[in-house]
Amino acid sequence: MLTIHAADEVRHVWDDDPEPIKDGAVAVQGGRVAGVGTLAELERRFPGARVRRWPGVLGPGHLHEGPLPDAPSPRERVHAVLKLGAVAVLAEHAGSPELRAAAERNDVLVLPRARPTAITETGRADLAVFDESGACIATVCAGRLVHRRR
């Protein structure tokens, strides 16, 4: 199934994106980005796709570079990171087998070092949406909605 995630603005990268897309959208099929553009363009390109509309700014999911937040279980520690808009953690902070297993179950990447994040066609569909206050309202990890603020 193809899903289009639409927002007030889409940024390919978070820092100084030269061309954010107003009324933008990202089409996701499986775990990959199928297209990026305005909502109108993607609705024409992918007729019949499911559309999720989000208030705020949609961009690439973040890398959580510090220790995972404290929580009672590894699953809850990983979920706390997803609630921040992160879709990847550094290996040095996910060293236990339990944390790695919880990350894997949620499609959270465990990376050996920091790397830039961006939305690219055919790239892995790792997205985050933030409202005007900077709070994460949705996180999509490998094409799957894993966090939605209610």
Side-chain angles (χ1 to χ4, degrees):
M1 168 175 260
L2 193 127
T3 301
I4 297 173
H5 293 274
D8 302 329
E9 184 175 284
V10 169
R11 296 179 182 218
H12 290 87
V13 295
W14 284 112
D15 298 329
D16 301 321
D17 195 342
E19 298 178 31
I21 303 167
K22 300 290 184 201
D23 298 317
V26 177
V28 174
Q29 186 160 30
R32 298 282 170 190
V33 174
V36 180
T38 65
L39 175 58
E41 291 168 349
L42 293 184
E43 285 181 316
R44 279 192 301 276
R45 188 170 160 196
F46 302 106
R50 176 184 186 181
V51 177
R52 288 186 181 263
R53 288 184 173 82
W54 304 105
V57 179
L58 184 150
H62 293 292
L63 166 64
H64 187 79
E65 296 188 50
L68 278 66
D70 286 331
S73 71
R75 181 192 66 76
E76 290 168 296
R77 292 181 73 191
V78 169
H79 188 70
V81 168
L82 294 169
K83 288 168 55 175
L84 298 172
V87 296
V89 297
L90 290 176
E92 66 187 89
H93 300 296
S96 76
E98 296 83 10
L99 272 176
R100 286 181 183 264
E104 185 177 320
R105 280 192 302 276
N106 287 285
D107 292 316
V108 172
L109 295 170
V110 178
L111 302 174
R113 65 186 174 289
R115 69 176 192 201
T117 59
I119 298 173
T120 59
E121 286 204 29
T122 72
R124 189 174 131 126
D126 290 333
L127 313 170
V129 183
F130 294 89
D131 67 14
E132 66 281 347
S133 73
C136 179
I137 58 172
T139 306
V140 174
C141 195
R144 197 165 53 97
L145 182 64
V146 292
H147 162 67
R148 172 180 45 207
R149 188 176 71 190
R150 298 201 185 263

